[in-house]
Amino acid sequence: MALLVKKFGGTSVGDIKKIKNIASSICQSKEVGNEIVVVVSAMGQTTDDLNHLAESISKSPNRRELDMLLSTGEQVTIALLSMALNEYGIPAISMTGSQVGIITESIHGKARILDIKTERIQNYINQGFVVVVAGFQGTTLSHTGSMEITTLGRGGSDTSAVALATALGAETCEIYTDVPGVLTTDPRIVPNAKLLDEISCEEMLELASVGASVLHPRAVEIARNYGIKLCVKSSQSDSSGTLLESQIQPIPLKRGSLELTKTVNSLEVLENQAIFSLSNIPDRPGIAAQIFEKLSEASINVDLIIQSTNDGNNNDITFTVSELEVNKTAEQCELITSQLGGEYNLKTNMTKLSIQGAGIMGRPSVSADLFDTLSQANINVRLIATSEIKVSCVIEINNIPKAIRFVAEKFKLSDTQIFVNPINEKQDQPEVRGIALDKNQVQVSFRKLPDRPGVAASICLALAENNLLFDTIVQSERISSSKTKDISFTMNRQDREKANLVFEALIKNFPGSYIEDGPAIAKVSTVGAGMAFKVGTAGKIFRALADQNINIEMIATSEIRTSCIVLEKDCDKAVNAIHNHFELEK
Ligand code: ADP
Ligand code: ASP
Ligand code: MG
């Protein structure tokens, strides 16, 4: 007898007919002998509607009251689905997050799950009930010692389901939704997006956190940490859907910290790197494509790529390569600058240092801690690249022993968690698995910051302390006599307004520096675990955009992701262009 957790999203329970259909499919699964826990979302657009009701009363409603309101959406669905199951003769009982004992942090609006008290739900399962649980909600003990309803953040029912599967030791967690599974991209943007039979948790984490709403990233994080079998399927058809694959060794579940596992699991050091910076090159569609095509023609494998926001009509593009390829790369850079103008600059004896862990996601304090630790060791960070589960920076090689010591101590890493020049085994993975689009971002630049240790750290710390999420931090490597540099990043639209006070206080520390808001943008992220091992992937992505005359405002990469910031008006065209270029529909 298998215990299955099945989650049905808002569109799948959007009306009574759909609820009855789901009840009937649950009946079939129950009749073949499975034990079933169902997690449901609010019906259709209910959560949006409830949010609008709150907004019509207050611009910033009390967070406790908002959670009280939003949690009612799921409560409607659990009762109706239980009634429908009863009509089919199946014993079913509905339970709210509090009744199940889903204990969360005391943060309204985006609480993480600490523990699930499974005794009561397990009792019902043992008695043969189908238990129907309200997703997206939990309960906390407030400082006064009384229970408070919390919610997990938009899309959080996926996280409720995977957390329940973990706590109950379920065989599988099935996420049923309105598409056949995880596709190469959002089918609302690219209608012929293709179903993926499988995807690695790392790739899904990246896609989910940069706009692929099909799975809540925290659900992927839990599945990956505890080795839960997770699949995404259609609630309307019998297709087998997409299976998520995890390459890491699962960790044992510790009561009280279900979602609060260690943030950083490893430190990776890659020696013998060189940084090439092209400055004052023209800012127009096609330039990035030309540059990276030139490099791939010479079989140069580029690692990190960073293009900051443009300065007037000129741009800087910085990238790293292995030191073995320095001569070849320099020749190509000569060629590029003779054709396009601008100049290049080379720094050898560089090392890439990266911290990694699924818990980095959604916690801006982790990158801030890394930069702060390095600045306390008086180490200047030359280049920064962030992804959802990894933060990398490039520093000078002679700083490495000190950096390892400081970083390992800060994040409590043992020798077995430190990898120097690791050999990666993901070489046979596809260079592009999928593309995600995030329209909910704005772009901000700090201009003319002093170039000294601690500057990036102080900005990141200030944002993190105020719980403002930032992403795609890029730091320019401009050749300038004034010893200044720019740092640009993207952040959530909603957080930008809240950031004003923080920014004003920050900029006072840097005389001569100023803040610049970018135009309306969107972030197009291309993800693939094999990207790091194929020569020319970036060039192809940039070519796809150039052929559509789309200008790239900013570029930031991690090993498995290349994100391009483009003007919002171009974003759907950009996703289609990359999808076609890599023939993902095939
Ligand atoms: P649910 O209500 O079931 O939780 P969501 O709306 O949260 O559903 O997520 C499903 C939607 O995610 C799909 O309708 C699709 O438009 C969107 N989506 C975005 N990226 C992808 C992708 N890569 N694969 C599948 N769906 C995606
Ligand atoms: N109903 C919540 C939302 O719309 C949670 C979910 O559907 O996952 O965000
Ligand atoms: Mg969802």
Side-chain angles (χ1 to χ4, degrees), residues 506-569:
L506 259 174
I507 210 80
K508 287 201 184 110
N509 301 327
F510 310 120
S513 311
Y514 57 99
I515 291 163
E516 209 175 86
D517 281 290
I521 48 99
K523 181 158 69 180
V524 178
S525 300
T526 307
V527 172
M531 190 175 281
F533 311 100
K534 285 254 169 59
V535 170
T537 311
K540 286 191 245 171
I541 295 171
F542 305 150
R543 169 55 56 204
L545 300 179
D547 286 349
Q548 296 297 320
N549 209 24
I550 297 170
N551 200 28
I552 307 173
E553 304 289 309
M554 232 161 105
I555 302 169
T557 65
S558 74
E559 261 119 276
I560 72 167
R561 177 177 95 184
T562 300
S563 292
C564 298
I565 305 293
V566 301
L567 290 181
E568 196 176 15
K569 69 174 177 54

Side-chain angles (χ1 to χ4, degrees), residues 7-12 41 158 176-179 181-188 211-215 435:
K7 180 258 166 179
F8 295 90
T11 40
S12 307
S41 294
D158 299 334
Y176 289 89
T177 184
D178 60 346
V179 284
V182 179
L183 309 177
T184 45
T185 191
D186 191 335
R188 285 176 297 192
S213 52
V214 63
L215 267 181
I435 308 163

Side-chain angles (χ1 to χ4, degrees), residues 278-561:
L278 292 155
S279 344
N280 296 319
I281 47 165
D283 178 32
R284 58 167 191 265
I287 294 293
Q290 273 185 53
I291 294 171
F292 290 93
E293 279 169 351
K294 273 269 170 310
L295 297 170
S296 82
E297 275 164 24
S299 304
I300 295 163
N301 196 11
V302 175
D303 183 14
L304 303 175
I305 304 173
I306 279 168
Q307 180 202 295
S308 233
T309 49
N310 63 316
D311 174 25
N313 291 324
N314 290 325
N315 249 341
D316 303 342
I317 295 187
T318 304
F319 56 90
T320 63
V321 296
S322 149
E323 267 186 352
L324 299 173
E325 307 201 311
V326 160
N327 292 342
K328 260 195 321 193
T329 311
E331 275 169 30
Q332 294 306 97
C333 286
E334 286 288 348
L335 213 68
I336 291 164
T337 46
S338 69
Q339 286 170 359
L340 297 177
E343 60 261 60
Y344 80 92
N345 165 358
L346 157 66
K347 285 198 196 87
T348 51
N349 290 327
M350 293 288 151
T351 301
K352 182 171 76 171
L353 178 143
S354 317
I355 51 169
Q356 198 164 7
I360 291 175
M361 189 178 65
R363 294 191 186 102
S365 58
V366 180
S367 29
D369 280 346
L370 173 67
F371 303 144
D372 189 43
T373 304
L374 293 173
S375 94
Q376 278 174 23
N378 207 22
I379 296 171
N380 206 7
V381 174
R382 304 278 16 146
L383 231 145
I384 298 169
T386 55
S387 85
E388 287 313 309
I389 52 172
K390 197 165 188 172
V391 183
S392 302
C393 52
V394 179
I395 60 180
E396 276 157 32
I397 200 156
N398 48 12
N399 284 322
I400 276 298
K402 192 161 64 165
I404 293 181
R405 225 172 343 111
F406 272 74
V407 174
E409 193 187 311
K410 174 73 200 175
F411 296 105
K412 301 200 167 38
L413 299 169
S414 65
D415 287 351
T416 56
Q417 292 168 301
I418 300 172
F419 303 92
V420 179
N421 301 324
I423 297 167
N424 211 311
E425 285 136 18
K426 293 176 198 146
Q427 313 215 6
D428 53 345
Q429 300 285 314
E431 61 181 325
V432 174
R433 183 87 71 174
I435 308 163
L437 175 63
D438 190 349
K439 289 189 187 176
N440 190 31
Q441 298 272 315
V442 295
Q443 178 211 307
V444 185
S445 302
F446 278 71
R447 300 281 188 203
K448 302 210 183 311
L449 289 165
D451 182 18
R452 58 163 196 254
V455 173
S458 64
I459 294 177
C460 296
L461 276 171
L463 291 169
E465 271 162 16
N466 290 281
N467 220 355
L468 300 166
L469 283 181
F470 54 86
D471 192 17
T472 327
I473 316 168
V474 312
Q475 175 180 284
S476 74
E477 271 293 300
R478 168 162 323 156
I479 306 165
S480 94
S481 48
S482 58
K483 279 261 168 212
T484 64
K485 64 181 162 199
D486 296 349
I487 293 182
S488 302
F489 49 89
T490 60
M491 63 193 302
N492 275 341
R493 203 178 288 277
Q494 301 86 299
D495 280 352
R496 175 62 191 93
E497 256 177 50
K498 292 189 227 156
N500 268 332
L501 285 177
V502 181
F503 285 171
E504 277 164 26
L506 259 174
I507 210 80
K508 287 201 184 110
N509 301 327
F510 310 120
S513 311
Y514 57 99
I515 291 163
E516 209 175 86
D517 281 290
I521 48 99
K523 181 158 69 180
V524 178
S525 300
T526 307
V527 172
M531 190 175 281
F533 311 100
K534 285 254 169 59
V535 170
T537 311
K540 286 191 245 171
I541 295 171
F542 305 150
R543 169 55 56 204
L545 300 179
D547 286 349
Q548 296 297 320
N549 209 24
I550 297 170
N551 200 28
I552 307 173
E553 304 289 309
M554 232 161 105
I555 302 169
T557 65
S558 74
E559 261 119 276
I560 72 167
R561 177 177 95 184

Side-chain angles (χ1 to χ4, degrees), residues 170-330:
E171 189 176 290
T172 312
C173 181
E174 301 168 332
I175 307 286
Y176 289 89
T177 184
D178 60 346
V179 284
V182 179
L183 309 177
T184 45
T185 191
D186 191 335
R188 285 176 297 192
I189 305 170
V190 181
N192 63 353
K194 190 174 172 249
L195 176 66
L196 299 168
D197 296 330
E198 55 183 37
I199 184 168
S200 70
C201 285
E202 283 76 10
E203 290 168 316
M204 192 65 232
L205 264 175
E206 292 279 355
L207 286 170
S209 16
V210 288
S213 52
V214 63
L215 267 181
H216 198 228
R218 279 162 50 192
V220 185
E221 179 188 358
I222 299 172
R224 178 175 181 265
N225 279 340
Y226 300 108
I228 301 302
K229 189 171 162 202
L230 176 61
C231 55
V232 183
K233 295 177 172 192
S234 161
S235 58
Q236 288 120 39
S237 78
D238 285 336
S239 86
S240 54
T242 307
L243 185 64
L244 270 85
E245 308 246 301
S246 174
Q247 274 106 8
I248 65 162
Q249 192 64 30
I251 57 172
L253 176 61
K254 218 168 79 203
R255 301 217 72 155
S257 58
L258 196 149
E259 266 198 274
L260 290 186
T261 51
K262 216 171 156 209
T263 46
V264 176
N265 293 323
S266 65
L267 166 62
E268 236 180 63
V269 171
L270 198 59
E271 295 174 319
N272 303 325
Q273 300 294 299
I275 302 180
F276 278 85
S277 309
L278 292 155
S279 344
N280 296 319
I281 47 165
D283 178 32
R284 58 167 191 265
I287 294 293
Q290 273 185 53
I291 294 171
F292 290 93
E293 279 169 351
K294 273 269 170 310
L295 297 170
S296 82
E297 275 164 24
S299 304
I300 295 163
N301 196 11
V302 175
D303 183 14
L304 303 175
I305 304 173
I306 279 168
Q307 180 202 295
S308 233
T309 49
N310 63 316
D311 174 25
N313 291 324
N314 290 325
N315 249 341
D316 303 342
I317 295 187
T318 304
F319 56 90
T320 63
V321 296
S322 149
E323 267 186 352
L324 299 173
E325 307 201 311
V326 160
N327 292 342
K328 260 195 321 193
T329 311

Side-chain angles (χ1 to χ4, degrees), residues 7 41-42 47 74 136 154-158:
K7 180 258 166 179
S41 294
T47 311
E74 273 66 17
F136 175 59
R154 295 306 305 269
S157 296
D158 299 334

